[in-house]
Amino acid sequence: MMDQQPAVRSTWKRPPLLLTNTLWRRLIYTGALVYLVLAVQTVEVDWQRVYLGLERGWRFIEGFLVPDFTTRWRDIHEGLIESLTITLTSTVAGILISVPIGIGAARNLAPAPVYLACRGIITLSRSFQEIIIAILLVAMFGFGPFAGFLTLAFATIGFLSKLLAEEIESCDRSQIEAIRATGASWWQVVNYSVQPQVMPRLVGLSLYRLDINFRESAVIGIVGAGGIGATLNTAIDRYEYDSAGAILILIIAIVLVVEYSSSYIRRWVQ
């Protein structure tokens, strides 16, 4: 006797709505639209300034279309090398610090005091945007790449530790319990049960953070934390839009190279 196959539903059924009451749904949509209109009206727009800004914006686009790589090449080269150095060192330092903090922030591995302390560190790191941290560190340590290195390393800790802790907490519990049942120590549980499950994800997150840190190095350089951002800011202040266009093209090219390289490495690891 042949096994009967379950019937396949041929008609599509709309998923249930969050609000089934039509009146409440219309009231919420109307209220959201009214709030949006009122919020837009509170924005003070100087249309004359907008008109003048369009002309300056067009000049910048013209410089972007005809970039000048030669006039300020020495400054551009030094800024790029500085940004790449800040990016690589801050990412490596952030990863080395994030791994133990991420393990300590995993509820299924760490005792309560360690868990709370590591979660506090993660919360503190994620509470401030990179540009704010860069301003504080520049005020403390002065202009230069050291402030940029500390800024991006600090930001990497909050980003990587949180995602690593969540990945550890979602690990297969049966594998962890099987290793524990053999009488393994805590470190052996981490090494033989948790590490194989989270390593591909950790590599992918690290490469993703490397990409983010390079882009952020161009931003924090504007406030004096080193990198290509300072060169870009100087070019814009001097209305050298062709040099600014060249810098932006180089930044885009490096981001694309990092993106495609990281995609290949993630596929190879997984």
Side-chain angles (χ1 to χ4, degrees):
M1 184 176 180
M2 297 180 61
D3 295 336
Q4 294 182 354
Q5 298 294 333
V8 179
R9 182 179 294 176
S10 57
T11 59
W12 177 81
K13 184 179 180 180
R14 182 178 181 179
L17 296 172
L18 183 62
L19 294 173
T20 57
N21 190 298
T22 305
L23 177 61
W24 277 107
R25 191 164 60 249
R26 290 179 178 176
L27 287 176
I28 292 176
Y29 290 161
T30 303
L33 180 61
V34 171
Y35 173 79
L36 180 62
V37 172
L38 294 176
V40 170
Q41 291 179 352
T42 61
V43 179
E44 298 180 359
V45 180
D46 187 349
W47 293 108
Q48 183 178 3
R49 185 179 179 87
V50 172
Y51 177 76
L52 296 176
L54 291 176
E55 181 183 357
R56 290 192 295 267
W58 176 247
R59 283 188 295 166
F60 181 80
I61 293 175
E62 288 180 335
F64 187 82
L65 296 176
V66 188
D68 181 9
F69 293 92
T70 58
T71 303
R72 295 176 57 84
W73 173 246
R74 181 177 180 180
D75 295 334
I76 295 174
H77 178 263
E78 292 178 355
L80 280 177
I81 295 299
E82 198 169 78
S83 280
L84 293 173
T85 303
I86 293 172
T87 300
L88 184 60
T89 54
S90 63
T91 303
V92 172
I95 293 171
L96 294 178
I97 301 174
S98 297
V99 170
I101 294 177
I103 295 174
R107 192 185 298 272
N108 56 343
L109 289 181
V114 176
Y115 170 81
L116 294 176
C118 292
R119 283 290 175 176
I121 295 173
I122 293 175
T123 302
L124 179 64
S125 176
R126 291 172 54 83
S127 299
F128 301 99
Q129 214 274 339
E130 284 87 345
I131 194 70
I132 299 176
I133 302 173
I135 293 173
L136 295 175
L137 293 176
V138 166
M140 293 173 59
F141 302 107
F143 296 99
F146 182 64
F149 163 76
L150 293 179
T151 299
L152 296 181
F154 185 73
T156 300
I157 294 171
F159 172 86
L160 198 59
S161 297
K162 177 179 173 59
L163 296 179
L164 178 60
E166 293 177 352
E167 187 70 18
I168 293 175
E169 290 178 344
S170 63
C171 284
D172 187 359
R173 294 183 179 180
S174 61
Q175 296 187 30
I176 297 176
E177 295 301 327
I179 298 297
R180 284 175 176 169
T182 63
S185 63
W186 179 87
W187 175 250
Q188 289 174 327
V189 171
V190 173
N191 191 32
Y192 293 104
S193 177
V194 176
Q195 181 264 340
Q197 297 186 62
V198 303
M199 182 56 71
R201 178 67 171 167
L202 176 61
V203 173
L205 290 173
S206 300
L207 293 172
Y208 180 49
R209 187 65 212 186
L210 180 69
D211 179 14
I212 294 175
N213 282 347
F214 177 75
R215 288 185 278 115
E216 289 295 336
S217 69
V219 177
I220 63 176
I222 296 176
V223 297
I228 193 62
T231 309
L232 177 62
N233 189 44
T234 301
I236 294 176
D237 289 342
R238 296 179 178 178
Y239 301 102
E240 298 175 354
Y241 296 127
D242 48 359
S243 297
I247 296 172
L248 291 177
I249 290 174
L250 290 174
I251 292 175
I252 293 172
I254 294 176
V255 169
L256 289 176
V257 170
V258 173
E259 176 65 25
Y260 285 111
S261 300
S262 61
S263 299
Y264 174 79
I265 295 175
R266 283 197 298 267
R267 288 196 300 268
W268 177 71
V269 171
Q270 295 174 355

